[in-house]
Amino acid sequence: MDNELTTLCYIEKDGKYLMMHRTKKKNDPSHDLWLGVGGHFEKGESPEECLLREVKEETGLTLTDFKFRGIVSFSDNDWYEYMFLYSGYDFSGRLTECDEGELVWVDKQDVLEKLPVWEGDKIFLRLLSEGAPFFSLKLRYENKVLKSAVLDGEKIF
């Protein structure tokens, strides 16, 4: 199976993240979980081009200030994904409805403590909130259960 390439962005505003409650897409492995916004690369796109296109498609917003924060690799049985992780700090435009889920501004602390998210997402969300420098995180799942996490080459879980 090929490696999937994706982007994910946590857009910040007034101590909140713009989160998507994944409820509308059929056969979604993240169904009913909460995530930032992003998606799959199209042929020939750079990570930044994918990020800007996906944010615009999913939210109606145009990012005007963002930063590349890290690379997260995921595996689960025969599935592999490399995700380019970003923080978004400013944007223009108006928030629109998304055909993949509901978009909600959520207090950053509530994302970690109250929302159902992938277990591995909690690791990189903490790194983002702590202002960690650029990082590489490898998350290995088995049947959607986190089995190991390696941060910058060192096993942390």
Side-chain angles (χ1 to χ4, degrees):
M1 174 177 263
D2 290 334
N3 294 322
E4 294 185 35
L5 296 173
T6 63
T7 59
L8 186 67
C9 186
Y10 286 87
I11 301 171
E12 303 180 24
K13 179 183 170 187
D14 301 326
K16 299 178 182 211
Y17 284 132
L18 181 60
M19 300 294 293
M20 182 188 303
H21 187 199
R22 307 276 307 201
T23 56
K24 297 180 181 178
K25 201 172 172 183
K26 289 189 180 199
N27 303 317
D28 185 350
S30 296
H31 181 77
D32 215 24
L33 296 176
W34 292 77
L35 299 148
V37 294
H40 291 83
F41 281 54
E42 290 184 353
K43 187 174 182 175
E45 280 186 320
S46 71
E48 291 76 20
E49 289 168 332
C50 177
L51 167 74
L52 294 170
R53 177 185 52 76
E54 284 286 347
V55 168
K56 180 74 171 176
E57 286 177 4
E58 292 183 353
T59 69
L61 304 175
T62 300
L63 283 177
T64 56
D65 185 18
F66 59 91
K67 183 176 181 182
F68 188 15
R69 302 295 301 277
I71 295 177
V72 182
S73 58
F74 300 91
S75 66
D76 190 342
N77 301 327
D78 288 337
W79 168 73
Y80 302 94
E81 178 179 339
Y82 292 93
M83 181 182 76
F84 294 75
L85 182 63
Y86 292 85
S87 290
Y89 304 107
D90 202 10
F91 53 86
S92 62
R94 302 184 93 197
L95 198 59
T96 58
E97 285 202 26
C98 179
D99 61 3
E100 295 182 23
E102 180 186 7
L103 296 168
V104 181
W105 290 101
V106 179
D107 287 332
K108 289 181 182 182
Q109 200 59 37
D110 289 347
V111 172
L112 284 171
E113 296 176 1
K114 296 181 180 176
L115 296 182
V117 298
W118 286 99
E119 197 61 32
D121 289 14
K122 293 177 183 178
I123 297 170
F124 63 72
L125 283 164
R126 282 190 193 96
L127 292 168
L128 293 179
S129 69
E130 294 167 359
F134 188 87
F135 58 87
S136 174
L137 179 64
K138 180 178 182 181
L139 301 171
R140 186 178 62 81
Y141 288 85
E142 287 180 16
N143 301 314
K144 298 186 178 184
V145 176
L146 185 63
K147 294 296 184 177
S148 71
V150 177
L151 177 62
D152 295 328
E154 295 200 26
K155 188 168 184 167
I156 60 171
F157 172 82

